[in-house]
Amino acid sequence: MRASRMVTLLLLLQNRGLMTARQLAEELEVSVRTVYRDVDALGAAGIPLYGAAGHAGGYRLVDGYRTRLTGLTADEAQAAFLAAIPGAAAELGVGEALATARLKLRAALPAELREHAERIQERFLLDAPGWYGDADRTPHLAAAAAAVWARRAVVLRYRRWRAPEEIERRVEPYGLVLKAGRWYLVAHGPSGIRTYRIDQILELLTSGEEFAAPEGFDLAGYWKGYLADFRARLHTGEALVRLTPEGARRLGVDPADDGWTEARVPIESLDHAHGEFLRLGADIEVLAPADLRDRIAETVRTLAARYEG
């Protein structure tokens, strides 16, 4: 633990130049006294660093010195691929490795490229989840990631939307996908390759049984096909509606020049369209299908009765 901390201290000084003992202590999450001891140990080991007292003082490496301790460990190499999504790295349990990897990557860069990398980090941030709704609870994410990495089969107890609602099955996890802030496990089971939402996994047990993924399996290619199939199944129906200019704007329909716009819009299902169209309030009138029109009319009558008086 101490050796790792001292390497991090050395990389901090190499990346940032002059730093006070207090700044180092905050970065390393240790006491100032611990920083003093680590600096003394580095000096005794022959590392050319020196300290300056006073208001503008601190520790720095001798000009021109660069550590060669910039090789990445296996965990840090994995984390580096998630560098654009630090929250995802933390969820997978490699957040600390990611922080160390960034220090090592910075230390390995020439000064001008290091400054460029720092500007990118200062000015760009990727925040994948949407605005609404709490983040999914994914207590089994780290275990799923470990099984994916080690190519070990797992037994899932899983909750799904159709009966039976809970199932248990042995699967071979091929990969993990983060989509719009939600994690999915791509795994092979009794019915072939399927996609499982991590937040719907009730229990995950690693069997210890190793497996080999099919030769040539491409996770990105599979996911692309999965999304295409999902979209093809998503909007299988159609509704005929009349829209006010505001309703047309909200649905992304080109408005007519004289007020109401009649349009045909794709719908996923009657249930889904019922909820989505009610959001538009008085800015939409459903003309067809008749079942959808009747359901919305009944909902409006119920709401009107509830708010009367």
Side-chain angles (χ1 to χ4, degrees), residues 148-159:
V148 167
W149 186 250
R151 286 286 191 254
R152 294 189 182 277
V154 299
V155 177
L156 299 180
R157 188 163 62 87
Y158 188 76
R159 178 174 53 231

Side-chain angles (χ1 to χ4, degrees), residues 140-158 167-176 184-190 194 196-198 201-212:
H140 302 293
L141 177 59
V148 167
W149 186 250
R151 286 286 191 254
R152 294 189 182 277
V154 299
V155 177
L156 299 180
R157 188 163 62 87
Y158 188 76
I167 59 172
E168 182 174 300
R169 60 183 48 165
R170 174 195 174 277
V171 300
E172 297 174 350
Y174 289 172
L176 283 167
Y184 297 86
L185 175 68
V186 175
H188 183 272
R194 294 291 184 268
Y196 302 89
R197 276 177 49 174
I198 294 291
I201 295 177
L202 303 173
E203 187 176 15
L204 186 150
L205 299 175
T206 304
S207 69
E209 178 186 353
E210 295 186 5
F211 68 90

Side-chain angles (χ1 to χ4, degrees), residues 230-252:
F230 174 80
R231 292 190 181 105
R233 291 182 285 107
L234 186 60
H235 295 124
T236 57
E238 187 179 73
L240 177 63
V241 299
R242 292 178 69 236
L243 300 162
T244 66
E246 174 61 16
R249 184 191 67 79
R250 292 170 64 182
L251 275 187

Side-chain angles (χ1 to χ4, degrees), residues 85-102:
I85 317 177
E91 289 179 339
L92 289 172
V94 292
E96 184 176 347
L98 173 60
T100 303
R102 282 178 166 174

Side-chain angles (χ1 to χ4, degrees), residues 275-288:
E276 291 300 307
F277 289 165
L278 282 175
R279 296 173 186 268
L280 297 177
D283 289 317
I284 187 171
E285 178 189 358
V286 176
L287 303 177

